[in-house]
Amino acid sequence: MTVTELPTDIIPHSSFRAEVEEKSGQKISACFQCEKCTNGCPVTFAMDIAPHRLIRSVHLGLKEEVLKSDTIWVCASCEACTTRCPNGIDIAHIMDTLRQMSQRQGFPASRKNVPLLHRAFLTSVKRRGRVNETGLAVSYTLKSAGLGGLLKQGMNQGLGMLRRGKLRLLPDRVRAGDQISDIFKNTEKKG
Amino acid sequence: MKVSYYPGCSLDGTAREFGESVEGMARMLGVELAELPDWNCCGSSSAHATSEALAFDLAARNLGIAERAGLDLLVPCALCFSRLKTAQKTIAAGRTSGGISTLTSSKVQVKDSVDFLWHDVGEKAIRQKVKKSLKGLNPVCYYGCLTTRPPHITDAPMPEDPHGMDLLLESLGANVKNWSYKTECCGGSLTLSLPEVAHKLIQKLLDMAQEAGADCIVAACPMCHSNLDTWQREISRETGKNYYIPIFYFTELMGLSFEHPDTRKWLRRHSTDPLPFLRQKGLL
Ligand code: SF4
Ligand code: SF4
């Protein structure tokens, strides 16, 4: 019989739970690990830490494990967990808080295309106040798959959409563009 | 009846047929849609994944414009609906997320398109417009995630089993099938960034619709529609199965039943061509 050794590389950050609770406004310690969130989650098959375990990990202060996880980027924000939690914990909102913290604290995203898309999207909003879906798809595909990927995607999807009158080259621009830049300027630091 | 109208970026772009069919149905039912002047993007998933304050301020700017107009606000896109409702609830809780918006109250009623057409415009007005019964059509109604969930944001009375779209389509004569996947996620926010994950969720919905005996799926959200409609060929290639399930906006089926002259034009924009299907059903 072998004795299982306790892992030695876990560095708990006792302040982590308090930080997440404060930023999300959610009481993580109310979780009693009933697993209802996980059982209703449609994307657990692609997660490395199931939602109820992620909540537990936050409780235990396992900051690195949580902020480097696939889970926070795979979560589809579908709100099933939040709707069903018997303790009223807004788990989907905690996922948002964790995504925000991981970006702000410089943790490399395990699924880098997800934040890449968010950045491309917000750049588009910042520029015109509205999203230009055509431009967004082009700039995101260039960043994530390079020129080759863009040409392939364009052939597969873009031309068909163009033919069916789905693509507009430029959307209207918000006239009060300065209000939009103010919003971006003033919220960038705050988080 | 007059309401404020927030189309959002998709209804202005890739989901033009949804925007045009919503506007077409409103006109036929005597509703005047007053587009919010100079509205901006609601921020979608990207703002709330990035910054609390940014997500709030982008939505709150639109709420401020709607407050000044003083009318109920129709928001057909589920994502925009969710963002605007979330901002309202944030204000109601006395928080403003540290952004620059100074909005301290928001009383306009924010409504999704099913809720508005079925409850506000009403069954009677809808039934009166039916020219062609959709008898023979066996759809399942797909509500997606965000018009009903979470109920503390959406105020949906039955977040796990919404009914409005089912009842509306039955009033047009359709033989609506019941299924347990009405609000199951389609992975809309992951389509571009994690397509392999999204395709699994889409395939599940297509399979479950067929298992329920449906021959088409009806949606009320541009993300859900485009996700289910656009990738059927790729998913067929990936899985070796052959998927052909037309995906409709409920407003397009209303157009078909009311005999709105632009209906074909809307339907021609879909990736999974619904025209052969409708011809076979004797509806075109
Ligand atoms: S549903 Fe709520 S209480 Fe249950 S495990 Fe998930 S977070 Fe904890
Ligand atoms: S919001 Fe995220 S974690 Fe919650 S059920 Fe949906 S995908 Fe899973």
Side-chain angles (χ1 to χ4, degrees):
Chain A
M1 205 179 85
T2 52
V3 179
T4 314
E5 264 184 55
L6 281 176
T8 51
D9 53 353
I10 295 176
I11 310 155
H13 296 247
S14 51
S15 61
F16 185 53
R17 187 195 78 208
E19 193 184 346
V20 177
E21 286 195 332
E22 201 231 297
K23 287 209 162 85
S24 67
Q26 298 301 312
K27 205 156 169 45
I28 281 150
S29 41
C31 168
F32 54 42
Q33 293 289 296
C34 70
E35 300 189 28
K36 221 176 161 189
C37 46
T38 295
N39 288 331
C41 175
V43 287
T44 46
F45 68 87
M47 288 175 165
D48 51 353
I49 309 174
H52 75 283
R53 282 193 48 216
L54 190 87
I55 298 293
R56 186 66 182 151
S57 299
V58 174
H59 199 161
L60 292 171
L62 306 179
K63 180 173 181 170
E64 306 251 321
E65 177 187 309
V66 168
L67 295 186
K68 284 182 178 165
S69 69
D70 288 339
T71 299
I72 59 174
W73 299 110
V74 168
C75 163
S77 300
C78 78
E79 306 275 354
C81 50
T82 297
T83 300
R84 294 173 190 169
C85 174
N87 291 323
I89 303 173
D90 191 340
I91 301 129
H93 187 63
I94 293 172
M95 294 287 180
D96 270 339
T97 304
L98 295 172
R99 287 186 272 259
Q100 291 162 15
M101 285 172 74
S102 100
Q103 289 171 94
R104 216 151 273 124
Q105 301 182 17
F107 284 85
S110 75
R111 303 292 201 117
K112 68 175 175 33
N113 282 357
V114 181
L116 215 57
L117 175 67
H118 292 324
R119 272 200 294 281
F121 184 98
L122 293 174
T123 306
S124 181
V125 180
K126 195 173 180 176
R127 222 171 263 159
R128 309 187 72 86
R130 294 185 190 169
V131 168
N132 168 14
E133 293 170 311
T134 314
L136 167 62
V138 170
S139 78
Y140 164 72
T141 313
L142 252 183
K143 281 204 190 97
S144 58
L147 192 58
L150 179 66
L151 291 173
K152 186 162 155 268
Q153 275 289 330
M155 287 313 199
N156 284 347
Q157 292 294 333
L159 293 180
M161 291 180 82
L162 200 63
R163 188 165 37 81
R164 291 191 305 278
K166 285 249 193 205
L167 296 187
R168 278 183 66 178
L169 290 179
L170 283 179
D172 293 335
R173 183 194 279 276
V174 170
R175 284 190 300 278
D178 51 332
Q179 290 178 13
I180 303 296
S181 17
D182 280 354
I183 288 177
F184 274 89
K185 223 179 289 149
N186 283 289
T187 55
E188 247 148 36
K189 299 147 260 166
K190 296 215 171 97
Chain B
M1 196 187 307
K2 186 176 176 183
V3 288
S4 287
Y5 178 50
Y6 177 87
C9 306
S10 298
L11 269 69
D12 231 17
T14 53
R16 270 168 66 190
E17 66 271 30
F18 189 31
E20 289 171 16
S21 59
V22 165
E23 285 163 34
M25 291 310 102
R27 205 165 304 127
M28 283 189 90
L29 292 161
V31 178
E32 190 188 330
L33 300 181
E35 184 168 328
L36 280 191
D38 211 28
W39 57 268
N40 60 272
C41 170
C42 71
S44 190
S45 319
S46 297
H48 69 77
T50 304
S51 152
E52 207 77 31
L54 178 63
F56 176 76
D57 277 355
L58 286 173
R61 180 175 176 275
N62 296 309
L63 286 177
I65 301 172
E67 283 316 314
R68 288 193 286 282
L71 299 165
D72 286 357
L73 179 62
L74 172 62
V75 184
C77 169
L79 249 164
C80 306
F81 171 81
S82 162
R83 295 324 308 160
L84 293 183
K85 290 284 277 189
T86 301
Q88 274 194 320
K89 300 287 167 162
T90 306
I91 296 167
R95 290 180 285 120
T96 50
S97 297
I100 59 166
S101 169
T102 50
L103 209 61
T104 52
S105 79
S106 171
K107 292 193 182 56
V108 292
Q109 295 281 331
V110 177
K111 302 197 176 256
D112 69 80
S113 51
V114 171
D115 183 32
F116 175 71
L117 288 174
W118 185 244
H119 291 112
D120 293 22
V121 175
E123 177 173 0
K124 201 163 144 242
I126 290 176
R127 280 187 189 274
Q128 272 170 3
K129 290 280 175 222
V130 174
K131 284 215 184 110
K132 194 194 293 170
S133 164
L134 301 185
K135 190 160 50 86
L137 212 60
N138 305 299
V140 282
C141 291
Y142 179 57
Y143 296 78
C145 308
L146 298 175
T147 45
T148 60
R149 281 200 304 252
H152 72 263
I153 298 293
T154 63
D155 301 311
M158 293 177 76
E160 302 271 21
D161 187 16
H163 276 87
M165 209 190 324
D166 293 63
L167 297 172
L168 192 154
L169 284 167
E170 277 166 11
S171 78
L172 309 177
N175 175 29
V176 180
K177 303 284 184 186
N178 202 8
W179 68 331
S180 337
Y181 288 79
K182 281 181 175 178
T183 62
E184 196 71 12
C185 177
C186 71
S189 62
L190 305 174
T191 321
L192 287 176
S193 48
L194 296 172
E196 70 287 1
V197 176
H199 289 187
K200 282 224 171 66
L201 302 186
I202 298 166
Q203 194 197 349
K204 182 95 183 171
L205 287 163
L206 299 175
D207 285 343
M208 290 302 131
Q210 283 176 321
E211 198 184 277
D215 46 25
C216 60
I217 301 177
V218 189
C221 158
M223 298 298 141
C224 302
H225 183 280
S226 118
N227 219 21
L228 293 173
D229 176 54
T230 313
W231 308 103
Q232 289 190 31
R233 206 178 307 151
E234 303 234 343
I235 294 174
S236 298
R237 204 179 306 134
E238 286 161 16
T239 60
K241 294 186 189 172
N242 198 11
Y243 287 100
Y244 172 66
I245 306 181
I247 315 292
F248 296 102
Y249 287 108
F250 78 104
T251 41
E252 292 174 331
L253 291 181
M254 288 173 79
L256 197 63
S257 169
F258 295 0
E259 297 189 335
H260 191 288
D262 291 343
T263 309
R264 268 168 196 270
K265 186 177 96 190
W266 303 329
L267 296 174
R268 265 200 289 271
R269 297 219 178 95
H270 297 189
S271 301
T272 305
D273 181 6
L275 300 181
F277 167 81
L278 290 174
R279 266 185 229 117
Q280 192 206 335
K281 295 273 175 186
L283 289 165
L284 260 189

